[in-house]
Structure formats: structure tokens, C-alpha cells
Amino acid sequence: MIIGTFKELKPGESRVVLTPTEVAELTGGGHTVLIGKGTGENAGFPDQSYAEAGAELRDGMEEIYAEAELIVKVKEILPEEYHLLREGQILFTCLHPAANREEVDVLLDKKVIAFTAEDTHQYGSPNGEVAGKLGALWGAHYLLSVNGGMGKLVGGIGGVPGIQALVIGAGIVGRSAANVLSSLGARVTMMDVNIGVLREAQYLLPKGVDTMFSNRSNIRQVLPHVDLVMNCVKWPKHRKDHLITREMLQLMRKKAVIVDISADVGGAVETYRPTTYEEPVYEVDGIIHFGVDNIPGAAPHTTSIAYAASVFPHIKSIADHGADEAARRNPYLRRGLTSYKGILTHEETALIQQRERTTAEELLGLPAK
């Protein structure tokens, strides 16, 4: 199979989905890998390293879209890419389709076979771990007065305690954020709706991390005392309510910071809107909001190595067996199947956008799940 990837168009994004390690394995297996020039430069993977791994270099995405049977990327496709898609082409990337009707229209109209990569992880995405850790560091950064914050040091000093932080969500993202903050000396309260997850977290995390059930009453109780809020909850897109409303910002200290790692417009934090690393923060009612929706893009070398390794089994299976057979063999890959030659298969997208859907199992001739 001919597999292609190229430098992401999204501002501040330098991650890659194939490092030279994965390229060498693909080319060693008889596949052709096309790499856009400069794709991995900012992540520490120069063109020469890809060439040495057996890749063929191309000038840019236009050539790669024209030649490749399988396009693999990190981020969603952007409008500049829409016209380059070809019927029957396979696409594996983080599409976030439920929140993007226009993108879904294009996928269906172009009759591509598209996989939403973020739904194919069996053990959670390394991107989430990186986002939790980096998000905590950015939160600490924007609490400093030189960055517009209230002038607090995350870990405090002798005689002055560290900051109070609230982490909502005790999954991979939340535990990663809490681990960094508590290790730096912050006093952390972590909330979740699952007692089992909270029980597990109290043994995994450093002592001094308190756990509470996540509900609006408890959040209201804690907000007046916190300096930093980390939202790590992926809010269901069909819900119209919020965990933190604009009215609740009045409970918080002025110049406190909210980092919404889940980056859902209309999600858990009502006042969230997406930003980029060029202008990462904005202020609402005296509260600083960090809204970057591709936080791991700031650490592309570390993130790319872990992320590429985690999704490579899917990419290799598609290359070795074709999209249909690869999806039949792996329920996690099948879960990420989003569109199939003009047919919508993605459950969340169908629910949110009120579209007709055919299940992946039905399309592939498998028993209903």
C-alpha cells in the first residue's frame, strides 16, 4: 500500500503520526511511504532520517494526496485539504467529526473510508497524558503576575503554602495533571463521578491529593478557594448544561486560571472558546482562560514517539490487510470507523448531528455488537 503523511497545517502543530521507526517497519514490509518535506523537522525528525528509513520525500500535501492510498495525520482535515480527497482513499487521523458537520459532509461526499483515530485507543491516547501534564504547567505559568495572573507560585515557599488546584476528571488526563501539580507542591482536589476511579487514584497519586465526587454542588463549594481549575472531562456533545457556568465565575478569585484540556465549545466550561499558542489565553469576568485545543503540539518530539507507537498497529494492519479486513479484525479500529464510501458509521456523530447511520458491523458483515 502507498501511505502518505505531511506537515500539519494547524497553527502550532508539529506532531507526526509516523516517526522514522514506524516508516522503517512499513517499508521493510513492502509498503511505500511518502513523507512531505519538513514534516518532522520541528519534532526532531529531519528529512534525512525519513529517507534513511526508506521513505520517499515529496514537496507537499498535494502530491501526497494525489499518490497515497492511505493518508495518516495527527489533526483533523482542514478546508484547504477538502478538495484533495479522492473516492476510496483511506484516512486515519483525529477527525473530531461530531463537532464538525462540514467536515463530515466532505467525507461523505468524497466517499472516503475515514477512521477517527481518537476513538481507536484501547488504553487511552498518549496525547491525553501529555495534555494533562502540559496543561498543568501552563496553568502554573499563567498564575504568575508577569503573565497576567494573581502572582502565585504553584508550589509556594517556606511559610507560604502552594496554590489550591481543582482537577475535574480522574481519568488519564486528570491523573496526569494532578500528578504534576501535586509534585510541584500544589494542594490538589480531584473530582470524578466514579468512586472506583477515585479510589484507585488515591493510591496512585502522591499523598495530599484529596478526592471528591464531581457535581455542581461540590464544585460551587470548592471554587471560591481555588487558584487553578483544570477541566479534564470530555463533556457529551448533546448536553446543553455545563459543570462550570459563567455565573459560577463570580465565585472565583480574580485572576484565577481555568485550563480546559477537553477543549469542548459548549462543554463542561460554558465560557470556553478555542485558542492557539499564538494567543493562548483570554479573560472572562476577571478569570483567565487557557483555551489551546492542541496542547500536546508544544511537545511534538515526546508526544510523537508515544502517539505514533500507540496507533501504529492500526496503521500497519490497514496497510497489510486493507481497511475492511483490518476493521473486521479489531473492534477498537472498527469503533473509529466514521465514514465508508459515502455512508456514515460514527455513532456519536449520527447522534449529535441527527443523521442516519449504518453500523460498521452491518457494513462489514459482522454480528451486531
Side-chain angles (χ1 to χ4, degrees):
M1 186 173 284
I2 303 173
I3 304 146
T5 190
F6 50 87
K7 187 175 179 61
E8 297 286 342
L9 300 179
K10 191 178 183 73
E13 186 55 73
S14 299
R15 287 174 289 174
V16 297
V17 72
L18 295 176
T19 74
T21 299
E22 289 76 36
V23 169
E25 188 161 345
L26 288 170
T27 58
H31 302 292
T32 299
V33 181
L34 310 178
I35 301 288
K37 292 179 180 177
T39 294
E41 292 288 346
N42 291 339
F45 307 112
D47 289 346
Q48 183 62 30
S49 66
Y50 282 113
E52 291 172 354
E56 298 179 18
L57 299 178
R58 294 292 185 267
D59 287 330
M61 69 176 183
E62 290 84 1
E63 291 181 58
I64 289 171
Y65 267 113
E67 295 182 57
E69 300 165 90
L70 168 61
I71 298 289
V72 293
K73 297 168 78 280
V74 174
K75 296 302 294 179
E76 66 273 15
I77 55 171
L78 297 179
E80 299 94 314
E81 302 171 61
Y82 290 168
H83 71 286
L84 298 172
L85 290 166
R86 295 182 286 109
E87 183 173 342
Q89 201 165 41
I90 307 166
L91 180 64
F92 183 93
T93 190
C94 292
L95 290 165
H96 310 296
N100 194 335
R101 175 176 283 273
E102 181 184 60
E103 178 189 52
V104 175
D105 286 339
V106 171
L107 296 175
L108 296 175
D109 180 62
K110 292 289 187 176
K111 297 184 178 180
V112 299
I113 302 172
F115 291 93
T116 293
E118 65 267 29
D119 290 338
T120 66
H121 296 283
Q122 183 174 0
Y123 303 108
S125 172
N127 286 317
E129 185 176 0
V130 175
K133 291 184 175 184
L134 264 182
L137 295 176
W138 282 116
H141 175 82
Y142 282 104
L143 281 171
L144 301 176
S145 63
V146 292
N147 299 314
M150 60 176 64
K152 288 193 174 183
L153 180 63
V154 61
I157 56 172
V160 184
I163 67 165
Q164 293 271 13
L166 169 62
V167 176
I168 306 176
I172 292 173
V173 180
R175 291 199 302 268
S176 299
N179 187 59
V180 166
L181 290 170
S182 60
S183 297
L184 290 174
R187 294 170 293 170
V188 180
T189 299
M190 187 163 62
M191 292 187 177
D192 202 279
V193 296
N194 187 323
I195 180 61
V197 170
L198 292 175
R199 186 178 292 127
E200 180 185 22
Q202 72 177 350
Y203 296 113
L204 292 175
L205 292 170
K207 297 302 179 184
V209 176
D210 297 320
T211 59
M212 293 180 71
F213 283 109
S214 181
N215 54 54
R216 290 184 188 83
S217 177
N218 281 344
I219 292 173
R220 282 183 171 274
Q221 177 184 332
V222 170
L223 279 182
H225 310 289
V226 300
D227 308 297
L228 172 62
V229 176
M230 308 280 301
N231 173 53
C232 306
V233 174
K234 183 180 179 182
W235 201 242
K237 290 182 174 59
H238 64 279
R239 292 186 61 162
K240 303 302 181 185
D241 58 341
H242 316 281
L243 280 178
I244 298 178
T245 64
R246 179 163 187 170
E247 174 267 330
M248 291 166 69
L249 300 186
Q250 304 303 320
L251 300 172
M252 300 178 67
R253 298 166 175 164
K254 296 302 180 186
K255 298 297 183 179
V257 176
I258 295 177
V259 177
D260 192 344
I261 294 174
S262 290
D264 291 320
V265 176
V269 180
E270 183 179 12
T271 47
Y272 169 80
R273 63 175 174 83
T275 65
T276 67
Y277 274 119
E278 282 72 23
E279 294 185 44
V281 295
Y282 58 95
E283 196 168 306
V284 178
D285 298 340
I287 306 302
I288 298 169
H289 292 60
F290 181 89
V292 174
D293 60 4
N294 63 325
I295 293 174
H301 184 77
T302 299
T303 310
S304 294
I305 292 173
Y307 182 61
S310 71
V311 298
F312 183 66
H314 292 319
I315 295 171
K316 186 175 186 300
S317 183
I318 294 170
D320 288 345
H321 307 293
D324 291 26
E325 183 59 24
R328 288 191 188 98
R329 293 179 176 217
N330 191 303
Y332 293 96
L333 179 60
R334 196 162 63 244
R335 184 174 66 185
L337 186 61
T338 301
S339 68
Y340 184 91
K341 300 178 181 179
I343 300 170
L344 179 67
T345 54
H346 195 255
E347 184 175 8
E348 184 187 35
T349 299
L351 174 66
I352 301 303
Q353 299 182 11
Q354 298 184 332
R355 297 177 185 256
E356 291 186 8
R357 164 183 176 253
T358 301
T359 67
E361 287 75 17
E362 185 178 350
L363 274 176
L364 298 170
L366 297 172
K369 64 178 180 179

